[in-house]
């Protein structure tokens, strides 16, 4: 092993090279260092990646003030104490703090303290176990003794709509970095990003129009989730239009919003309005357009051709996160972790993969035993049917595992239990006029939970218990003994069991020999 204190300029050989220093890449590197390896991490932008500066952290920070204000107004006594409206300038300042004001020096200090060598620049594969790094016009080659891990994440997709690119629309980056609120905002898309930003900008004072190509918001979740979020958006003054999108866009003089990846301070509202021609023939004039129609892996300039793969492709992997070649066989030295592998585009899921990948890389490098059985230490089994997720809209949406439609498609023997969260005693003291819904998907053959979805104020805090039940395959007869505190929203678990019936309380009899 090489000396971890060696400077980046003097050392070009490491046990592991990680391309991409977002939270996923950082975790791969950290786990490998803890396993005894030397690691270099290559980053062309800010250490901490999309989540820290343009996604998870700043978006949730900018959503939080409106959530807190809404919650206070739903509680008599607290409601009367609220004498003003949302302070937009303070909300932006709170956002800036969550994004460390787009300064990654603290992250760089952490890498150094963890014994990880930082190499600034754009990294691409050069050949087997080699990474070429370009920085400030100079190129340097790093070589790995054991493995290279790609954790370059994903980028927003901008649809090929005539005039859209010329109008310089916002993606999540420009939208979260702006410190001005567009008077009129069109959002293209109906998924998580579109729903969260619609909630955010409606609360900040924009006249928001959401253009959803499909039948409703949050189409991959239980139908009632999108319905309740759309209802709340309408109540906040947003216009959610389904079954339509833009067919053409024009903006006189082009836009002034920053291009993707540029300085966040350059993301400003355009002085020139944009006109969208919609697929139903109508037109819509707005000040800014936010594109939230999906993401694709950031693999365009990664040198994939040097290992027999195609530019821009998703890097499919086995469950130990090794990249699969065109024949479906794992490339023994190459790993892909996080959004770039398309398994589950969520930061917490990418970090889960990173823990498995960093550990297994170290084990393979040191000749240890790989635990690659389902739910083993070196696999990402939960990516398949046990992915927890929260949509931080108003109301919140929290989900884990299968939806009813997915279970039916898989031909599982299931029972669907729906429960009105407003009927839970804890909801009446949590907020006046509480509105929400819960759904549980039960495997009737095995007597375990396959999935759960909650919609309502503060339901994100219900999710970890559901995740534990799904991942742990906790038998229903044992869940009867998991007593919810009263009066809390968690009482919905007891109500679910009661809806299933008393028979679920009886443990199965042991088979007789």
């Amino acid at each position: 092993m090489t000396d971890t204190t060696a400077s980046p300029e003097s050392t070009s050989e490491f046990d592991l090279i990680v391309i991409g220093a977002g939270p996923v890449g950082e975790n791969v590197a950290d786990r490998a260092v803890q396993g005894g390896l030397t690691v270099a991490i290559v980053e062309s932008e800010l250490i901490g990646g999309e989540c820290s500066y343009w996604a998870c952290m700043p978006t949730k920070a900018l959503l939080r003030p409106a959530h807190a204000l809404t919650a206070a107004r739903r509680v008599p006594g607290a409601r009367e104490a609220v004498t003003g409206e949302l302070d937009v300038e303070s909300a932006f300042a709170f956002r800036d703090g969550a994004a460390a004001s787009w300064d990654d020096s603290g992250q760089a200090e952490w890498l150094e303290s963890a014994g990880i060598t930082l190499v600034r620049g754009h990294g691409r594969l050069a050949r087997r176990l080699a990474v070429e790094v370009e920085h400030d016009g100079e190129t340097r080659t790093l070589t790995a003794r054991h493995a290279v891990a790609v954790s370059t994440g994903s980028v927003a997709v901008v649809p090929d709509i005539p005039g859209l690119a010329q109008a310089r629309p916002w993606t999540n980056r420009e939208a979260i970095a702006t410190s001005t609120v567009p008077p009129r905002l069109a959002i293209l898309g109906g998924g998580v990003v579109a729903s969260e930003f619609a909630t955010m900008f409606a609360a900040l004072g924009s006249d928001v129009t959401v253009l959803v190509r499909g039948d409703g918001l949050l189409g991959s979740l239980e139908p009632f989730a999108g319905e309740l979020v759309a209802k709340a958006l309408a109540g906040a003054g947003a216009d959610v239009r389904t079954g339509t999108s833009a067919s053409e866009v024009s903006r006189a003089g082009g836009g002034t919003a920053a291009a993707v990846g540029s300085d966040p301070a350059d993301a400003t509202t355009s002085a020139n309005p944009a006109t969208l021609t919609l697929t139903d023939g109508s037109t819509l004039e707005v000040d800014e357009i936010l594109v939230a129609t999906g993401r694709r892996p950031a693999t365009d300039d990664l040198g994939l051709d040097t290992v027999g793969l195609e530019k821009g492709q998703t890097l499919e992997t086995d469950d130990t996160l090794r990249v699969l070649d065109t024949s479906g066989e794992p490339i023994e030295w190459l790993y892909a972790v996080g959004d770039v592998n398309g398994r589950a585009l969520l930061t917490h899921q990418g970090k889960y993969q990173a823990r498995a990948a960093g550990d297994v890389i170290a084990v393979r490098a040191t000749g240890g035993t790989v635990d690659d059985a389902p739910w083993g230490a070196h696999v990402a089994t939960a990516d398949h049917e046990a992915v927890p997720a929260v949509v931080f809209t108003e109301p919140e949406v929290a989900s884990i595992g299968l939806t009813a439609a997915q279970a039916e498609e898989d031909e599982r023997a299931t029972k669907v239990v729906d429960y009105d969260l407003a009927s839970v005693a804890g909801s009446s003291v949590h907020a006046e006029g509480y509105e929400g819904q819960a759904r549980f998907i039960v495997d009737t053959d095995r007597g375990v939970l396959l999935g759960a979805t909650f919609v309502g104020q503060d339901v994100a805090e219900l999710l970890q218990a559901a995740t534990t039940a799904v991942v742990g395959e906790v038998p229903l007869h044992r869940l009867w003994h998991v007593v919810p505190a009263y009066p809390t929203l968690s009482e919905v678990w007891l109500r679910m069991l009661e809806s299933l019936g008393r028979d679920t309380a009886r443990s199965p009899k042991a088979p007789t020999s």
Side-chain angles (χ1 to χ4, degrees):
M1 307 296 175
T2 56
D3 180 3
T4 59
T5 63
S7 70
E9 291 77 19
S10 64
T11 307
S12 293
E13 188 176 43
F14 301 86
D15 294 322
L16 167 66
I17 300 169
V18 180
I19 306 176
V24 175
E26 288 176 323
N27 274 270
V28 173
D30 188 39
R31 298 293 282 223
V33 165
Q34 291 180 42
L37 304 190
T38 59
V39 181
I41 194 165
V42 182
E43 179 53 59
S44 61
E45 293 188 306
L46 295 176
I47 307 163
E50 197 80 10
C51 176
S52 298
Y53 305 104
W54 299 286
C56 320
M57 296 304 293
T59 58
K60 286 14 169 214
L62 199 49
L63 282 160
R64 179 59 185 158
H67 286 339
L69 185 59
T70 299
R73 286 174 170 164
R74 287 175 177 160
V75 181
R79 175 191 302 138
E80 288 74 16
V82 178
T83 57
E85 297 300 317
L86 183 72
D87 188 310
V88 174
E89 185 176 346
S90 295
F92 280 136
F94 186 51
R95 178 273 320 268
D96 291 350
S101 297
W102 291 273
D103 178 358
D104 68 354
S105 57
Q107 298 274 33
E109 291 172 4
W110 178 83
L111 287 177
E112 184 177 5
S113 71
I116 302 165
T117 298
L118 170 64
V119 180
R120 297 274 189 181
H122 179 80
R124 61 175 66 84
L125 300 172
R127 59 183 182 276
R128 186 179 187 275
L129 291 169
V131 174
E132 192 176 79
V133 182
E134 185 178 344
H135 183 58
D136 288 343
E138 297 184 358
T139 301
R140 171 186 177 195
T141 300
L142 307 178
T143 57
R145 295 186 187 88
H146 299 289
V148 174
V150 176
S151 300
T152 49
S154 60
V155 295
V157 172
V158 178
D160 187 20
I161 296 172
L164 179 60
Q166 291 73 19
R168 301 188 73 190
W170 283 355
T171 66
N172 64 292
R173 286 197 168 196
E174 292 75 32
I176 197 55
T178 186
S179 289
T180 58
V181 178
R184 300 166 299 176
L185 174 67
I187 300 178
L188 307 185
V192 173
V193 175
S195 299
E196 288 188 346
F197 275 100
T199 300
M200 178 192 303
F201 278 100
L204 292 173
S206 287
D207 181 359
V208 175
T209 303
V210 186
L211 302 175
V212 187
R213 186 181 297 275
D215 296 332
L217 297 175
L218 304 173
S220 64
L221 301 177
E222 297 287 7
F224 63 84
E227 292 166 5
L228 287 171
V229 171
K231 178 181 176 181
L233 283 172
D239 181 7
V240 179
R241 305 186 190 181
T242 58
T244 189
S245 188
S247 58
E248 187 177 355
V249 179
S250 63
R251 190 200 294 267
T256 58
V260 174
S262 61
D263 189 334
D266 292 337
T268 58
T269 300
S270 174
N272 304 316
T275 301
L276 288 77
T277 301
L278 307 186
T279 52
D280 62 7
S282 65
T283 59
L284 176 67
E285 185 175 275
V286 296
D287 300 287
E288 289 299 344
I289 305 165
L290 168 58
V291 175
T293 53
R295 301 184 68 81
R296 60 181 177 83
T299 59
D300 283 352
D301 189 15
L302 195 57
L304 295 183
D305 58 307
T306 66
V307 293
L309 300 174
E310 294 184 7
K311 170 184 174 180
Q313 76 168 76
T314 298
L315 298 178
E316 295 185 15
T317 69
D318 64 14
D319 275 358
T320 64
L321 289 312
R322 289 181 302 186
V323 175
L324 302 179
D325 64 20
T326 53
S327 67
E329 292 298 313
I331 301 173
E332 63 176 13
W333 59 272
L334 184 61
Y335 293 74
V337 193
D339 282 12
V340 75
N341 63 33
R343 292 169 67 102
L345 276 65
L346 295 161
T347 296
H348 52 269
Q349 213 67 21
K351 291 166 71 174
Y352 158 73
Q353 294 174 15
R355 293 190 290 273
D359 287 352
V360 80
I361 289 168
V363 165
R364 284 178 172 141
T366 56
T369 301
V370 174
D371 180 7
D372 59 0
W375 305 108
H378 301 135
V379 294
T381 307
D383 283 346
H384 300 299
E385 292 183 354
V387 176
V390 177
V391 187
F392 291 87
T393 44
E394 172 55 50
E396 289 179 342
V397 181
S399 63
I400 170 68
L402 300 182
T403 63
Q406 290 166 340
E408 183 178 1
E409 184 177 335
D410 287 352
E411 298 182 347
R412 307 285 186 95
T414 61
K415 182 171 183 178
V416 177
V417 179
D418 288 321
Y419 201 83
D420 181 358
L421 279 173
S423 298
V424 175
S427 69
S428 64
V429 292
H430 195 80
E432 191 173 65
Y434 192 97
E435 185 174 8
Q437 184 73 28
R439 171 170 286 182
F440 298 89
I441 311 301
V442 177
D443 183 327
T444 55
D445 284 341
R446 296 186 298 136
V448 297
L449 197 64
L450 291 176
T453 299
F454 307 95
V455 182
Q457 181 181 319
D458 299 326
V459 295
E461 303 308 324
L462 293 174
L463 187 56
Q464 190 63 12
T467 302
T468 300
V470 171
V471 173
E473 298 183 323
V474 180
L476 295 176
H477 72 86
R478 291 298 292 270
L479 286 178
W480 277 96
H481 299 281
V482 181
V483 182
Y486 183 89
T488 66
L489 294 174
S490 293
E491 191 183 358
V492 70
W493 285 91
L494 175 58
R495 302 303 170 219
M496 178 266 291
L497 292 168
E498 289 175 338
S499 298
L500 285 168
R502 289 178 176 272
D503 286 346
T504 58
R506 301 191 183 103
S507 58
K509 293 181 179 179
T512 57
S513 58

